[in-house]
Amino acid sequence: MRAIVIRGPGGPEVLELRDVPAPTPSRGEVRVRVRATAINRADLLQRMGLYPAPPGDPPDIPGLELAGEVDALGGGVQDLAIGDRVFGLVGGGAYAEQVVVHERALARIPHGMGFEQAAAVPEAAVTAYDAMVVQAGLSAGDTLLVHAVGSGVGTMAVQIARAIGATSIGTARSAAKLERARALGLAHGVLPEAGAFADRVLALTAGRGADVILDLVGGSYVAEDARCAAVLGRILVVGLVGGRAANVDLSLVLRRRLRVLGTALRGRPLEEKIAAGQLLARRIAPLLASGAVAPVVDRVLSLDQAALGHEALHAADTFGKIVLVP
Amino acid sequence: MRAIVIRGPGGPEVLELRDVPAPTPSRGEVRVRVRATAINRADLLQRMGLYPAPPGDPPDIPGLELAGEVDALGGGVQDLAIGDRVFGLVGGGAYAEQVVVHERALARIPHGMGFEQAAAVPEAAVTAYDAMVVQAGLSAGDTLLVHAVGSGVGTMAVQIARAIGATSIGTARSAAKLERARALGLAHGVLPEAGAFADRVLALTAGRGADVILDLVGGSYVAEDARCAAVLGRILVVGLVGGRAANVDLSLVLRRRLRVLGTALRGRPLEEKIAAGQLLARRIAPLLASGAVAPVVDRVLSLDQAALGHEALHAADTFGKIVLVP
């Protein structure tokens, strides 16, 4: 099969389309003919040698999500059959024509949704839903603050918040992204000035602060998050494009009883990967089927254009996901 | 009644024994004749003007916990009667001969336990149990790391951990405190060197790290906590004697999916104060009654020696609680 292989740590130029052996499904696993995958920031870090693949996943083929058709079954597979249309998360290897996944970690693609749309869903929607709803308990009536609202996760977070009755405030690097996020249900857009946004969020919440903060930026944003979190507010650290050093005022954390939760999907063990697949099937697919949540695709590239996609995501001039089609 | 009043922000000398009007119980409340109270670090901050009393609590009489006898009933009181021996938490006002509390926020003192012992329990045991078990889910088989193991909270944490089947590692400022904590069930004592303890904790856990960290120090300790927390580890920030500025490596927080939780009892609303009282009655009193957990009293002073008690707690040469008797 053809796959994008990381030749060695480096820039987008190290991504190389090669012929590699197709993987074989073991007990409980299926092989999926990948019809579309999508790019994540973790792929860029992996390519640069900064975020090695988890043990047991392909070390040199990136790709954390996929949509496609089941094309081979391992022993003991019960719920899936050849030809089933599925999507889901993997620990790596999805920049390829075929990938092997435990059947219970996959979900069925809703009727009427194409592969390119479906491939834009798993990482963004599961990250947002798992962080905001499962871990932080976001509920109707809550206020959500989302940073990088134009990212894949951000565009999903705004729609999921609207679907469950929460109000969202978002930040982004440009007014244009905030404007596009409004169409997804964003109630208030805030353009940070010199990295500051807490005063604006406090003003928008009558001084109460945000109940849940989905932070895809990290770095100095976390100290600002603590300044504008409500009592018992949950700050979810999902990404670190703004850096890894946080200088937080612990007296705010203590007095407001804040919770700072780090989260990442990629390195989770099998039972949690399966839980993520079930979440995709039972919580997210119904929202897609009803139209309450729709994937946001910035552009579709062919698999051999993966390097171009990495450049675009690095430049952060995207809105939603970059999809790759093998 | 007599009470210790904070004359104005300042050192221990601003604590003054005065005659003040006795409080009157309202609907659902009882008045308790205080037989013993105890000193907390929050009292020292309040005295210095750094931590004003919550709205609705006496602004100038410190004291967050008490043991005594019910001596008057408000309307509608159902579960308590005059003469009942009770202990519990209040938002302030316990450095006094009488205090008014909602009946459901109080618990009965176990048979055979004296008032001085009972007064050493509520803040320390509820803080430790609520943080470690209720919020962080400490369970049998887990490893707990406790800082300031000789503090009131620390001495309770070690005993509660042992009672529920968890293993505890503790830090303290002196080898003598670590040695005394061993008698309470501490498995391993670590004497931090220049504020560093993470490497020792990793060595003691075969590289796995601690599942729950009860941090009464804060400041630079939090960055060390993150270095020696297990995957999905919970770091509970309970005190800030080490300072309020934390410089945490977010990449650890994200990859290990750590949870940093701030907690404080004093400012909680009525329903949570009641929940704390129920926790004292249903979870902690049975451990006291069985002897699995015993209060650790450093010394007993009379109420008019409150200033002396504040000096001793500030100097941190105590092991366990300082109790005051009106």
Side-chain angles (χ1 to χ4, degrees):
Chain A
M1 69 167 186
R2 295 185 318 152
I4 291 285
V5 175
I6 300 171
R7 207 167 51 219
E13 72 282 357
V14 303
L15 299 177
E16 195 174 276
L17 194 66
R18 281 195 204 158
D19 274 311
V20 300
T24 312
S26 298
R27 188 161 185 84
E29 295 177 333
V30 300
R31 191 173 62 196
V32 179
R33 174 71 178 89
V34 179
R35 297 298 181 185
T37 180
I39 301 179
N40 288 284
R41 286 201 169 269
D43 309 345
L44 278 61
L45 294 174
Q46 184 180 353
R47 190 203 68 216
M48 292 186 276
L50 301 175
Y51 193 28
D57 284 302
D60 55 356
I61 303 176
L64 300 176
E65 58 194 324
L66 60 102
E69 292 149 319
V70 174
D71 82 346
L73 305 177
V77 167
Q78 298 184 346
D79 297 331
L80 291 177
I82 303 284
D84 282 352
R85 299 170 73 247
V86 293
F87 62 157
L89 296 166
V90 287
Y95 286 16
E97 288 177 323
Q98 288 169 314
V99 72
V100 151
V101 197
H102 196 283
E103 65 158 338
R104 291 190 58 76
L106 290 168
R108 286 169 197 279
I109 299 173
H111 293 294
M113 175 170 281
F115 291 122
E116 293 169 10
Q117 296 285 303
V121 170
E123 269 283 338
V126 172
T127 295
Y129 196 100
D130 172 73
M132 301 187 320
V133 184
V134 178
Q135 295 191 56
L138 185 75
S139 303
D142 278 344
T143 297
L144 169 75
L145 171 62
V146 198
H147 298 309
V149 79
S151 65
V153 176
T155 56
M156 280 293 174
V158 168
Q159 296 180 82
I160 292 168
R162 181 179 58 180
I164 68 173
T167 302
S168 60
I169 301 172
T171 71
R173 296 196 205 190
S174 75
K177 287 190 184 188
L178 293 176
E179 198 49 45
R180 290 183 71 177
R182 278 180 195 282
L184 301 175
L186 186 72
H188 307 284
V190 172
L191 209 55
E193 291 175 23
F197 52 81
D199 290 342
R200 285 282 296 137
V201 173
L202 286 168
L204 287 167
T205 55
R208 203 180 156 274
D211 300 289
V212 176
I213 302 179
L214 193 64
D215 190 337
L216 294 103
V217 176
S220 62
Y221 270 39
V222 178
E224 280 283 290
D225 293 340
R227 288 192 53 229
C228 64
V231 170
L232 291 172
R234 287 79 79 200
I235 299 169
L236 294 135
V237 183
V238 185
L240 296 179
V241 284
R244 58 196 271 183
N247 220 315
V248 180
D249 180 352
L250 292 175
S251 70
L252 287 174
V253 173
L254 194 144
R255 284 185 204 192
R256 294 204 200 136
R257 295 191 273 153
L258 304 183
R259 284 113 201 269
V260 181
L261 314 176
T263 186
L265 293 178
R266 202 190 66 163
R268 297 190 184 180
L270 176 62
E271 68 276 19
E272 292 190 70
K273 288 248 167 68
I274 289 174
Q278 305 293 318
L279 194 155
L280 186 59
R282 299 198 47 214
R283 308 288 169 220
I284 294 164
L287 294 175
L288 297 169
S290 74
V293 171
V296 178
V297 176
D298 179 82
R299 70 193 80 174
V300 178
L301 302 173
S302 63
L303 188 59
D304 58 7
Q305 292 175 302
L308 198 63
H310 277 216
E311 279 164 14
L313 190 60
H314 180 70
D317 60 353
T318 52
F319 189 83
K321 299 283 293 189
I322 300 174
V323 170
L324 298 176
V325 175
Chain B
M1 68 167 185
R2 295 185 318 153
I4 290 286
V5 174
I6 300 171
R7 208 166 52 218
E13 72 283 357
V14 304
L15 299 178
E16 196 174 274
L17 193 66
R18 281 195 204 158
D19 273 312
V20 301
T24 313
S26 300
R27 187 162 186 84
E29 293 177 335
V30 300
R31 190 173 63 196
V32 180
R33 174 71 178 88
V34 178
R35 297 297 180 186
T37 179
I39 302 179
N40 288 284
R41 288 202 167 267
D43 309 346
L44 278 61
L45 294 174
Q46 184 180 354
R47 190 202 69 215
M48 293 187 274
L50 300 175
Y51 193 27
D57 284 303
D60 55 357
I61 303 176
L64 300 176
E65 58 194 322
L66 60 103
E69 293 149 319
V70 174
D71 82 346
L73 305 177
V77 167
Q78 298 184 346
D79 297 331
L80 291 178
I82 304 283
D84 282 353
R85 298 170 73 247
V86 292
F87 62 156
L89 296 166
V90 288
Y95 286 17
E97 288 178 324
Q98 288 168 316
V99 72
V100 150
V101 197
H102 196 284
E103 64 158 337
R104 291 190 58 74
L106 289 168
R108 287 170 197 279
I109 299 174
H111 293 295
M113 175 170 282
F115 291 124
E116 293 170 9
Q117 295 285 303
V121 171
E123 270 283 337
V126 173
T127 295
Y129 197 101
D130 173 72
M132 300 187 321
V133 183
V134 178
Q135 295 191 56
L138 184 75
S139 303
D142 278 344
T143 297
L144 169 74
L145 171 63
V146 198
H147 298 310
V149 79
S151 65
V153 176
T155 56
M156 281 293 175
V158 168
Q159 295 181 81
I160 293 168
R162 181 180 55 181
I164 68 174
T167 301
S168 59
I169 301 172
T171 71
R173 295 194 205 192
S174 75
K177 289 189 184 188
L178 293 176
E179 198 49 46
R180 290 183 70 177
R182 277 180 195 281
L184 301 174
L186 185 71
H188 307 284
V190 173
L191 209 56
E193 291 175 23
F197 51 81
D199 289 342
R200 285 283 296 138
V201 172
L202 287 169
L204 287 166
T205 55
R208 203 180 156 273
D211 301 289
V212 175
I213 301 178
L214 193 64
D215 190 337
L216 293 103
V217 176
S220 63
Y221 270 40
V222 178
E224 280 283 290
D225 292 340
R227 288 190 53 230
C228 64
V231 170
L232 291 171
R234 288 79 79 199
I235 299 168
L236 295 135
V237 183
V238 185
L240 296 180
V241 285
R244 58 197 273 184
N247 220 315
V248 180
D249 180 350
L250 292 174
S251 72
L252 287 175
V253 173
L254 195 144
R255 284 185 203 191
R256 292 205 201 135
R257 297 190 272 153
L258 304 183
R259 285 112 201 269
V260 181
L261 314 176
T263 187
L265 292 178
R266 203 191 65 163
R268 297 190 184 182
L270 176 62
E271 68 276 18
E272 292 190 71
K273 289 248 168 67
I274 289 174
Q278 304 293 318
L279 193 154
L280 187 58
R282 299 197 48 213
R283 308 287 168 221
I284 294 164
L287 294 175
L288 297 170
S290 76
V293 171
V296 178
V297 176
D298 179 82
R299 71 193 80 175
V300 179
L301 302 173
S302 65
L303 188 58
D304 58 6
Q305 292 176 301
L308 198 64
H310 277 217
E311 278 163 16
L313 191 59
H314 180 69
D317 59 355
T318 52
F319 189 82
K321 300 283 292 190
I322 300 174
V323 170
L324 298 176
V325 174

